[in-house]
Short mmCIF file of all heavy atoms in Angstrom, two decimals:
data_model
loop_
_atom_site.label_atom_id
_atom_site.label_comp_id
_atom_site.label_asym_id
_atom_site.label_seq_id
_atom_site.Cartn_x
_atom_site.Cartn_y
_atom_site.Cartn_z
N ARG M 13 -10.83 -32.72 -17.28
CA ARG M 13 -10.48 -31.36 -16.89
C ARG M 13 -8.97 -31.23 -16.76
O ARG M 13 -8.30 -32.18 -16.39
CB ARG M 13 -11.13 -31.02 -15.54
CG ARG M 13 -12.65 -30.97 -15.60
CD ARG M 13 -13.19 -30.52 -14.27
NE ARG M 13 -14.63 -30.41 -14.30
CZ ARG M 13 -15.37 -29.99 -13.27
NH1 ARG M 13 -14.78 -29.66 -12.14
NH2 ARG M 13 -16.67 -29.91 -13.38
N PRO M 14 -8.46 -30.05 -17.09
CA PRO M 14 -7.02 -29.87 -16.93
C PRO M 14 -6.63 -29.97 -15.47
O PRO M 14 -7.43 -29.69 -14.59
CB PRO M 14 -6.79 -28.45 -17.48
CG PRO M 14 -8.12 -27.77 -17.37
CD PRO M 14 -9.14 -28.84 -17.56
N PRO M 15 -5.43 -30.40 -15.19
CA PRO M 15 -4.99 -30.49 -13.80
C PRO M 15 -5.17 -29.16 -13.08
O PRO M 15 -5.12 -28.09 -13.69
CB PRO M 15 -3.51 -30.87 -13.93
CG PRO M 15 -3.37 -31.47 -15.28
CD PRO M 15 -4.39 -30.80 -16.13
N THR M 16 -5.35 -29.25 -11.76
CA THR M 16 -5.59 -28.05 -10.97
C THR M 16 -4.47 -27.04 -11.13
O THR M 16 -4.71 -25.83 -11.27
CB THR M 16 -5.74 -28.43 -9.49
OG1 THR M 16 -6.82 -29.36 -9.36
CG2 THR M 16 -6.03 -27.20 -8.64
N LYS M 17 -3.21 -27.50 -11.12
CA LYS M 17 -2.09 -26.58 -11.24
C LYS M 17 -2.12 -25.83 -12.56
O LYS M 17 -1.84 -24.63 -12.61
CB LYS M 17 -0.77 -27.34 -11.10
CG LYS M 17 -0.41 -27.68 -9.66
CD LYS M 17 1.01 -28.19 -9.58
CE LYS M 17 1.40 -28.44 -8.11
NZ LYS M 17 2.80 -28.94 -8.00
N ASN M 18 -2.49 -26.53 -13.64
CA ASN M 18 -2.56 -25.85 -14.93
C ASN M 18 -3.65 -24.79 -14.95
O ASN M 18 -3.50 -23.73 -15.55
CB ASN M 18 -2.79 -26.86 -16.05
CG ASN M 18 -1.57 -27.74 -16.28
OD1 ASN M 18 -0.47 -27.39 -15.85
ND2 ASN M 18 -1.76 -28.87 -16.93
N ARG M 19 -4.77 -25.09 -14.28
CA ARG M 19 -5.84 -24.09 -14.20
C ARG M 19 -5.38 -22.88 -13.42
O ARG M 19 -5.70 -21.74 -13.77
CB ARG M 19 -7.09 -24.70 -13.54
CG ARG M 19 -7.78 -25.78 -14.37
CD ARG M 19 -9.25 -25.91 -13.96
NE ARG M 19 -9.40 -26.19 -12.54
CZ ARG M 19 -9.39 -27.39 -12.00
NH1 ARG M 19 -9.20 -28.46 -12.78
NH2 ARG M 19 -9.57 -27.57 -10.71
N HIS M 20 -4.63 -23.11 -12.35
CA HIS M 20 -4.10 -21.99 -11.57
C HIS M 20 -3.15 -21.14 -12.41
O HIS M 20 -3.18 -19.90 -12.33
CB HIS M 20 -3.39 -22.51 -10.32
CG HIS M 20 -4.32 -23.08 -9.30
ND1 HIS M 20 -3.89 -23.84 -8.23
CD2 HIS M 20 -5.66 -23.01 -9.18
CE1 HIS M 20 -4.93 -24.20 -7.50
NE2 HIS M 20 -6.02 -23.71 -8.06
N LEU M 21 -2.31 -21.79 -13.18
CA LEU M 21 -1.36 -21.04 -14.02
C LEU M 21 -2.10 -20.22 -15.07
O LEU M 21 -1.73 -19.07 -15.35
CB LEU M 21 -0.40 -22.00 -14.70
CG LEU M 21 0.58 -22.75 -13.78
CD1 LEU M 21 1.43 -23.72 -14.59
CD2 LEU M 21 1.47 -21.77 -13.03
N LEU M 22 -3.14 -20.80 -15.64
CA LEU M 22 -3.94 -20.07 -16.62
C LEU M 22 -4.63 -18.87 -15.98
O LEU M 22 -4.66 -17.77 -16.54
CB LEU M 22 -4.98 -21.00 -17.25
CG LEU M 22 -5.91 -20.37 -18.30
CD1 LEU M 22 -5.09 -19.84 -19.47
CD2 LEU M 22 -6.94 -21.39 -18.77
N THR M 23 -5.15 -19.06 -14.77
CA THR M 23 -5.79 -17.96 -14.05
C THR M 23 -4.80 -16.84 -13.77
O THR M 23 -5.12 -15.65 -13.91
CB THR M 23 -6.39 -18.47 -12.73
OG1 THR M 23 -7.33 -19.50 -13.01
CG2 THR M 23 -7.07 -17.35 -11.97
N LEU M 24 -3.59 -17.22 -13.35
CA LEU M 24 -2.56 -16.21 -13.09
C LEU M 24 -2.23 -15.42 -14.36
O LEU M 24 -2.12 -14.19 -14.34
CB LEU M 24 -1.30 -16.88 -12.55
CG LEU M 24 -1.28 -17.28 -11.08
CD1 LEU M 24 -0.02 -18.08 -10.78
CD2 LEU M 24 -1.34 -16.04 -10.20
N ALA M 25 -2.07 -16.14 -15.47
CA ALA M 25 -1.71 -15.47 -16.73
C ALA M 25 -2.80 -14.51 -17.17
O ALA M 25 -2.53 -13.37 -17.57
CB ALA M 25 -1.45 -16.52 -17.81
N VAL M 26 -4.05 -14.96 -17.11
CA VAL M 26 -5.17 -14.10 -17.51
C VAL M 26 -5.29 -12.91 -16.56
O VAL M 26 -5.49 -11.77 -16.99
CB VAL M 26 -6.48 -14.91 -17.55
CG1 VAL M 26 -7.67 -13.99 -17.78
CG2 VAL M 26 -6.41 -15.97 -18.65
N GLY M 27 -5.16 -13.18 -15.27
CA GLY M 27 -5.26 -12.10 -14.28
C GLY M 27 -4.17 -11.05 -14.49
O GLY M 27 -4.43 -9.84 -14.40
N TRP M 28 -2.95 -11.52 -14.77
CA TRP M 28 -1.86 -10.58 -15.01
C TRP M 28 -2.15 -9.75 -16.27
O TRP M 28 -1.99 -8.52 -16.25
CB TRP M 28 -0.54 -11.33 -15.18
CG TRP M 28 0.64 -10.42 -15.32
CD1 TRP M 28 1.41 -9.90 -14.34
CD2 TRP M 28 1.16 -9.90 -16.55
NE1 TRP M 28 2.39 -9.09 -14.86
CE2 TRP M 28 2.26 -9.07 -16.22
CE3 TRP M 28 0.82 -10.04 -17.90
CZ2 TRP M 28 3.00 -8.40 -17.19
CZ3 TRP M 28 1.56 -9.37 -18.85
CH2 TRP M 28 2.64 -8.56 -18.50
N ALA M 29 -2.56 -10.39 -17.35
CA ALA M 29 -2.80 -9.67 -18.61
C ALA M 29 -3.90 -8.63 -18.47
O ALA M 29 -3.77 -7.49 -18.92
CB ALA M 29 -3.14 -10.67 -19.72
N VAL M 30 -5.00 -9.01 -17.81
CA VAL M 30 -6.13 -8.08 -17.67
C VAL M 30 -5.76 -6.91 -16.76
O VAL M 30 -6.03 -5.74 -17.07
CB VAL M 30 -7.36 -8.83 -17.11
CG1 VAL M 30 -8.47 -7.85 -16.75
CG2 VAL M 30 -7.86 -9.85 -18.13
N SER M 31 -5.13 -7.21 -15.62
CA SER M 31 -4.79 -6.14 -14.67
C SER M 31 -3.75 -5.20 -15.25
O SER M 31 -3.83 -3.97 -15.05
CB SER M 31 -4.29 -6.74 -13.36
OG SER M 31 -3.13 -7.53 -13.56
N ARG M 32 -2.78 -5.73 -16.00
CA ARG M 32 -1.76 -4.84 -16.58
C ARG M 32 -2.34 -4.03 -17.74
O ARG M 32 -1.89 -2.88 -17.98
CB ARG M 32 -0.56 -5.64 -17.04
CG ARG M 32 0.47 -5.91 -15.97
CD ARG M 32 -0.10 -6.30 -14.64
NE ARG M 32 0.89 -6.57 -13.62
CZ ARG M 32 0.61 -7.07 -12.43
NH1 ARG M 32 -0.64 -7.35 -12.10
NH2 ARG M 32 1.55 -7.27 -11.54
N ALA M 33 -3.30 -4.58 -18.44
CA ALA M 33 -3.97 -3.78 -19.48
C ALA M 33 -4.71 -2.61 -18.84
O ALA M 33 -4.70 -1.49 -19.38
CB ALA M 33 -4.94 -4.67 -20.26
N LEU M 34 -5.32 -2.85 -17.68
CA LEU M 34 -6.00 -1.77 -16.97
C LEU M 34 -5.00 -0.71 -16.50
O LEU M 34 -5.25 0.50 -16.60
CB LEU M 34 -6.77 -2.34 -15.78
CG LEU M 34 -7.49 -1.32 -14.89
CD1 LEU M 34 -8.49 -0.51 -15.69
CD2 LEU M 34 -8.17 -2.02 -13.72
N MET M 35 -3.85 -1.16 -16.00
CA MET M 35 -2.82 -0.21 -15.57
C MET M 35 -2.34 0.64 -16.75
O MET M 35 -2.11 1.85 -16.60
CB MET M 35 -1.65 -0.95 -14.93
CG MET M 35 -1.99 -1.61 -13.59
SD MET M 35 -0.68 -2.71 -12.99
CE MET M 35 0.61 -1.52 -12.57
N LEU M 36 -2.19 0.00 -17.92
CA LEU M 36 -1.78 0.75 -19.10
C LEU M 36 -2.84 1.77 -19.50
O LEU M 36 -2.53 2.91 -19.89
CB LEU M 36 -1.53 -0.22 -20.26
CG LEU M 36 -0.14 -0.82 -20.37
CD1 LEU M 36 -0.10 -1.88 -21.47
CD2 LEU M 36 0.92 0.26 -20.63
N TRP M 37 -4.10 1.37 -19.40
CA TRP M 37 -5.18 2.30 -19.73
C TRP M 37 -5.14 3.51 -18.81
O TRP M 37 -5.31 4.65 -19.24
CB TRP M 37 -6.53 1.59 -19.61
CG TRP M 37 -7.70 2.43 -20.04
CD1 TRP M 37 -8.22 2.52 -21.29
CD2 TRP M 37 -8.46 3.32 -19.21
NE1 TRP M 37 -9.28 3.41 -21.30
CE2 TRP M 37 -9.44 3.91 -20.03
CE3 TRP M 37 -8.42 3.67 -17.86
CZ2 TRP M 37 -10.37 4.84 -19.55
CZ3 TRP M 37 -9.33 4.59 -17.37
CH2 TRP M 37 -10.30 5.17 -18.21
N LEU M 38 -4.90 3.27 -17.53
CA LEU M 38 -4.81 4.38 -16.57
C LEU M 38 -3.63 5.29 -16.90
O LEU M 38 -3.73 6.51 -16.77
CB LEU M 38 -4.66 3.83 -15.15
CG LEU M 38 -5.87 3.08 -14.58
CD1 LEU M 38 -5.51 2.43 -13.24
CD2 LEU M 38 -7.06 4.02 -14.42
N LEU M 39 -2.52 4.69 -17.34
CA LEU M 39 -1.36 5.50 -17.68
C LEU M 39 -1.62 6.35 -18.92
O LEU M 39 -1.19 7.51 -18.99
CB LEU M 39 -0.15 4.59 -17.92
CG LEU M 39 1.21 5.28 -18.10
CD1 LEU M 39 1.58 6.09 -16.87
CD2 LEU M 39 2.30 4.26 -18.41
N VAL M 40 -2.33 5.79 -19.89
CA VAL M 40 -2.67 6.54 -21.10
C VAL M 40 -3.58 7.72 -20.76
O VAL M 40 -3.48 8.80 -21.36
CB VAL M 40 -3.33 5.61 -22.13
CG1 VAL M 40 -3.92 6.42 -23.29
CG2 VAL M 40 -2.33 4.60 -22.66
#
Side-chain angles (χ1 to χ4, degrees):
R13 295 185 178 182
T16 302
K17 282 190 176 181
N18 290 343
R19 292 203 304 272
H20 290 167
L21 293 177
L22 180 60
T23 302
L24 281 173
V26 172
W28 185 89
V30 171
S31 60
R32 274 43 179 188
L34 177 58
M35 292 171 70
L36 273 173
W37 185 90
L38 293 172
L39 188 61
V40 170

